[in-house]
Amino acid sequence: AFVPEAGFTSLFNGRDLNDWIVKINHHALNENYGNTFRVEDGLIKVRYDQYGDFGDRFGHLYYKQPFSHYHLAVEYRFVGALQRGAPGYAEMNSGVMFHAQDPRTILLDQNWPIALELQFLAGLPDGKPRATCCVCTPGTHVVYNGKLTKAHIIQSSAGTYPPSEWVRAEVIVHGSKSIVHLVNGKKVLEYEQPQIGGGVVSGCDPKMFQEGKLLNEGFIGLQSEGQPVDFRKVELKVLKPE
């Protein structure tokens, strides 16, 4: 059992998604296609039982306001199997976007937001290590070990967790300065200077893509990328700027 530090506020009220904005690729803002994001049993559940083929419908559930300096904690577990037609890499793979562009600026056929992703992974039947809480960088770059890196994924030092286990993933963000990932309370990755750049994001408004622009704030978004997942906590503490 984890005892959160004092001062966390739950972004998820346990009842409904009234404080949240849905954006799913190929669908209009707030069109929650197939009831992808739903609240049942006090959990936010991501499900595809009304889909058929996944059809490239990468989606995100965004909290209604942006944040700049904060400590975010998300508790997740994987359930069920990868949806038919979803990309293979999405198996036992989800995450939370942060410092993401305003969902109202995401175009209809834009695959991902310009954002950083706290990536959640679980072990697969092959038994190979698959560290959770890596960082992925759709439309972004970061400075890692003192150098600007264009790698799309930077591995964390976290362990590999079985899919059905609840894991507490945290990110401590200080604007465009430092970012730290934690898993079950232990630091597993650190980097800095998040900025716009690179590929991966397609179909976005070119005005939003300002190469090299530091990301000082943004939205938080829970993923739907083809793998069913549950979220039981999404909580945040606003921090004083460093």
Side-chain angles (χ1 to χ4, degrees), residues 33-190:
Y33 175 83
N35 199 24
T36 303
F37 298 102
R38 57 189 79 165
V39 178
E40 291 169 351
D41 315 314
L43 306 173
I44 296 175
K45 296 184 175 183
V46 178
R47 296 292 187 274
Y48 309 99
D49 48 19
Q50 298 172 28
Y51 267 57
D53 197 80
F54 181 67
D56 201 28
R57 291 186 181 95
F58 303 110
H60 300 87
L61 178 69
Y62 296 94
Y63 190 67
K64 64 187 178 185
Q65 73 181 79
F67 297 98
S68 180
H69 293 255
Y70 56 91
H71 183 164
L72 171 71
V74 175
E75 295 184 13
Y76 71 89
R77 70 177 175 194
F78 293 105
V79 289
L82 186 66
Q83 183 62 19
R84 182 178 90 229
Y89 65 75
E91 187 175 6
M92 298 304 162
N93 179 345
S94 188
V96 57
M97 300 310 211
F98 64 98
H99 268 11
Q101 74 183 95
D102 185 326
R104 288 164 289 235
T105 67
I106 296 173
L107 299 187
L108 184 70
D109 299 314
Q110 180 175 336
N111 55 355
W112 281 286
I114 297 166
L116 298 169
E117 178 192 341
L118 178 65
Q119 182 193 43
F120 307 151
L121 297 170
L124 294 171
D126 64 13
K128 289 180 181 164
R130 207 162 177 248
T132 195
C133 289
C134 307
V135 66
C136 301
T137 57
T140 52
H141 293 318
V142 300
V143 171
Y144 178 62
N145 286 340
K147 289 196 204 82
L148 183 71
T149 173
K150 297 189 173 176
H152 177 53
I153 298 174
I154 302 173
Q155 290 291 326
S156 82
S157 63
T160 304
Y161 294 86
S164 58
E165 188 173 317
W166 286 105
V167 177
R168 184 173 174 89
E170 299 174 70
V171 61
I172 299 171
V173 181
H174 281 284
S176 60
K177 291 182 181 161
S178 66
I179 299 173
V180 174
H181 292 192
L182 302 100
V183 178
N184 293 345
K186 185 176 158 213
K187 183 164 97 173
V188 296
L189 185 62
E190 192 166 3

Side-chain angles (χ1 to χ4, degrees), residues 3-16:
V3 181
E5 296 171 54
F8 274 103
T9 300
S10 184
L11 302 185
F12 169 47
N13 63 17
R15 295 183 308 277
D16 58 48

